[in-house]
């Protein structure tokens, strides 16, 4: 969406709050999808809910490219948001339930890597389509016709590009197995054993199967169980990760990056090309996090990275506040910021939220944590254009810096290290913590 703001604002004559609504409308859908995705997947399975999400994404891409009115554009974005919300709950949950403990961090981090690749491709396609609409294609009448379509409404092509990954998502999901932990939870032990054997071999699979069955014994899980001692601590960590993860400002830079860069002194074409550079940095440092997360652990990446994020946000705020004339300096610090946020919270959040909750509660707990993620995302994206117009860009970055400082303290105090532990071992850790708190 980042490349479309100025054009859609002009075409539909939007005020700043309506620009915020355009930017954040999909997030309302994300909130709905996240809120119900986990519980629906507990009932119908991880795989089939992901396929449903992929269909919603394709419908949204088509509707966003060809809306007859601004209201229809908003509705299309809402539909896509529901798909994103479901996928954001189920993708890391599914990967964590399928992965061997020794490489689970890296495999769940592939989810974040896929997001980063998608963002980078979106930046690149926006820049490419804008450049094409302003260029002079020779030799092919079809290219001339396409350029004439894009020359006034290139934003439609930017949204139409979403149909390609949505279609790939639909096709490839039919090739994945169901979650073995979900199968065992539904009494389908043999099907679960078969998948575990394909992943880890028969000896490990049998041990893992018994661990899963033990973790599922007892009363049927209800939402109230999330607030019991021990599990409540896991819920606080999961919600805290989601809440602070969105208030780092990362999605503001992703959505409104070109606007921020224009305020720093770049022209639109230059802002979009610089946004591609930021996307490349995001990709590189996400790969680094993926490579090191199971060796260095979750806590060092999270706490250390967030400390540097806080400093970089403070420097950017000071640059805008003092009226620094060099757009390149602000662009450079945005690159530092993106590198650190990609290496820390963006890589770690989905790994931790996918592994800290008990098997029988994981769908519901992930829904609550991801609901918090999207709700906070919506508020920040919706209010940012108004907030900047009212108080200035520097105020926005000062606010994010203060929030990240608080987040660094929270992560240092509350987030445990989970590398190398099975999901059942992590569950026992929280239950042990709860018993300690009760005895105190």
């Amino acid at each position: 969406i980042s490349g479309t703001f100025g054009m859609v604002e002009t075409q539909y004559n939007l005020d700043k709050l309506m620009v915020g609504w355009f930017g954040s409308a999909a997030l309302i859908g994300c909130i709905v999808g996240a809120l119900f995705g986990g519980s629906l997947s507990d009932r119908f399975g991880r795989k089939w809910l992901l396929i449903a999400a992929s269909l919603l994404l394709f419908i949204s891409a088509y509707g966003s490219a060809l809306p007859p009115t601004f209201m229809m554009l908003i509705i299309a974005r809402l539909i896509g948001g529901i798909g994103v919300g479901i996928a954001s709950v189920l993708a890391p949950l599914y990967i964590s339930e399928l992965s061997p403990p020794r490489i689970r961090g890296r495999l769940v981090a592939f989810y974040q890597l896929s997001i980063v690749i998608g963002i980078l491709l979106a930046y690149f396609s926006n820049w490419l389509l804008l450049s094409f609409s302003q260029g002079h294609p020779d030799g092919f009448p079809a290219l001339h016709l396409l350029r004439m379509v894009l020359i006034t409404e290139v934003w439609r092509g930017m949204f139409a590009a979403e149909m390609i990954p949505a279609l790939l998502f639909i096709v490839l999901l039919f090739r994945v197995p169901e979650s073995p932990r979900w199968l065992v939870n539904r009494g389908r032990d043999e099907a679960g054993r078969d998948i575990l054997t394909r992943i880890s071999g028969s000896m490990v699979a049998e041990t893992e199967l018994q661990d899963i069955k033990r973790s599922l014994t007892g009363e049927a899980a209800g939402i109230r169980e999330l607030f019991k001692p021990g599990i409540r601590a896991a819920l606080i960590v999961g919600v805290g990760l989601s809440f602070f993860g969105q208030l780092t400002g990362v999605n503001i830079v992703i959505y409104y990056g070109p606007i921020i860069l224009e305020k720093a002194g770049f022209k639109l074409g230059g802002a979009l090309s610089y946004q591609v550079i930021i996307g490349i940095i995001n990709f590189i440092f996400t790969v680094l996090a993926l490579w090191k997360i199971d060796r260095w652990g979750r806590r060092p990446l999270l706490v250390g990275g967030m400390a540097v994020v806080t400093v970089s946000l403070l420097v950017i705020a000071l640059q805008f506040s003092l009226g620094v004339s060099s757009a390149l300096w602000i662009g450079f610090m945005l690159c530092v910021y993106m590198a650190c946020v990609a290496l820390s919270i963006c890589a770690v959040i989905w790994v931790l939220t996918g592994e800290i909750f008990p098997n029988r509660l994981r769908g519901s707990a992930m829904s609550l944590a991801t609901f918090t993620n999207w709700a906070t995302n919506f508020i920040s994206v919706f209010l940012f254009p108004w907030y900047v117009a009212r108080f200035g860009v520097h105020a926005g970055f000062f606010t994010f810096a203060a929030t990240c400082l608080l987040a660094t303290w929270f992560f240092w105090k509350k987030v445990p290290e989970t590398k190398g532990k099975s999901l059942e071992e992590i569950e026992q850790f929280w239950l042990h913590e709860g018993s300690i708190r009760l005895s105190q």
Side-chain angles (χ1 to χ4, degrees), residues 309-322:
V309 166
T310 303
V311 174
S312 62
L313 283 169
L314 183 61
V315 172
I316 293 168
L318 287 170
Q319 286 177 312
F320 275 112
S321 179
L322 298 174

Side-chain angles (χ1 to χ4, degrees), residues 132 136-147:
F132 178 77
H136 303 281
D138 297 320
F140 296 98
L143 292 180
H144 283 287
L145 178 62
L146 179 60
R147 180 173 174 268

Side-chain angles (χ1 to χ4, degrees), residues 111-317:
Y111 169 70
Q112 175 62 21
L113 180 64
S114 74
I115 293 174
V116 169
I117 292 171
I119 291 168
L120 178 58
L121 290 176
Y123 290 161
F124 183 73
S125 67
N126 284 349
W127 170 75
L128 194 64
L129 285 166
L130 182 66
S131 300
F132 178 77
S133 70
Q134 296 172 344
H136 303 281
D138 297 320
F140 296 98
L143 292 180
H144 283 287
L145 178 62
L146 179 60
R147 180 173 174 268
M148 291 304 296
V149 172
L150 293 176
I151 201 165
T152 55
E153 296 185 328
V154 65
W155 61 269
R156 294 184 186 274
M158 293 176 178
F159 282 127
E162 294 176 351
M163 288 190 284
I164 298 170
L167 185 61
L168 285 170
F169 196 28
I170 294 169
V171 172
L172 293 173
L173 277 170
F174 280 96
R175 296 183 57 82
V176 305
E178 184 53 87
S179 161
R181 284 173 168 81
W182 182 84
L183 289 169
V184 175
N185 194 19
R186 305 298 288 186
R188 297 167 61 183
D189 291 7
E190 285 304 315
R193 180 187 282 109
D194 288 345
I195 295 170
L196 289 170
T197 300
R198 287 164 55 189
I199 295 168
S200 303
S202 57
M203 296 278 293
V204 175
E206 190 59 39
T207 302
E208 201 166 0
L209 179 65
Q210 296 308 315
D211 288 342
I212 294 169
K213 292 177 72 172
R214 277 194 295 271
S215 74
L216 295 171
T217 58
E219 298 180 3
I223 197 71
R224 292 183 180 178
E225 193 171 348
L226 287 170
F227 299 94
K228 290 182 178 180
I231 305 304
R232 182 173 60 219
L235 183 63
I236 290 170
V237 169
V239 169
L241 283 164
S242 294
F243 177 77
F244 287 119
Q246 292 306 319
L247 292 181
T248 59
V250 62
N251 280 318
I252 297 301
V253 174
I254 288 170
Y255 294 175
Y256 297 117
I259 295 175
I260 294 169
L261 289 165
E262 282 186 273
K263 288 184 179 294
F266 287 93
K267 295 187 182 297
L268 177 59
L272 286 180
S273 60
Y274 206 94
Q275 191 82 337
V276 173
I277 295 172
I278 291 175
I280 292 170
I281 289 171
N282 192 6
F283 170 77
I284 291 170
F285 281 86
T286 299
V287 171
L288 179 60
L290 183 152
W291 178 34
K292 293 296 184 182
I293 194 166
D294 283 318
R295 181 178 300 178
W296 292 351
R298 285 59 158 157
R299 274 179 58 87
L301 289 176
L302 185 61
V303 178
M306 283 299 296
V308 183
V309 166
T310 303
V311 174
S312 62
L313 283 169
L314 183 61
V315 172
I316 293 168

Side-chain angles (χ1 to χ4, degrees), residues 313-424:
L313 283 169
L314 183 61
V315 172
I316 293 168
L318 287 170
Q319 286 177 312
F320 275 112
S321 179
L322 298 174
V324 175
S325 59
S326 173
L328 287 176
W329 272 110
I330 292 176
F332 172 76
M333 287 310 303
L334 279 172
C335 290
V336 173
Y337 160 80
M338 184 55 71
C340 295
V341 81
L343 189 60
S344 57
I345 182 71
C346 287
V348 173
I349 181 174
W350 298 113
V351 175
L352 280 170
T353 53
E355 65 188 8
I356 61 175
F357 298 117
N359 285 322
R360 64 188 181 280
L361 292 164
R362 189 167 293 117
S364 298
M366 280 286 290
S367 280
L368 281 177
T370 312
F371 165 80
T372 304
N373 184 300
W374 290 115
T376 311
N377 192 349
F378 167 76
I379 292 169
S380 63
V381 172
F382 176 68
L383 291 177
F384 184 77
W386 169 83
Y387 194 79
V388 167
R390 180 71 175 81
F391 302 105
V393 180
H394 65 283
F397 281 100
F398 275 126
T399 303
F400 288 133
T403 306
C404 287
L405 181 62
L406 179 61
T408 304
W409 174 85
F410 174 83
F411 297 149
W412 176 58
K413 295 289 289 184
K414 299 293 184 181
V415 176
E417 184 55 74
T418 59
K419 73 170 183 177
K421 295 182 174 63
S422 72
L423 298 180
E424 290 67 39

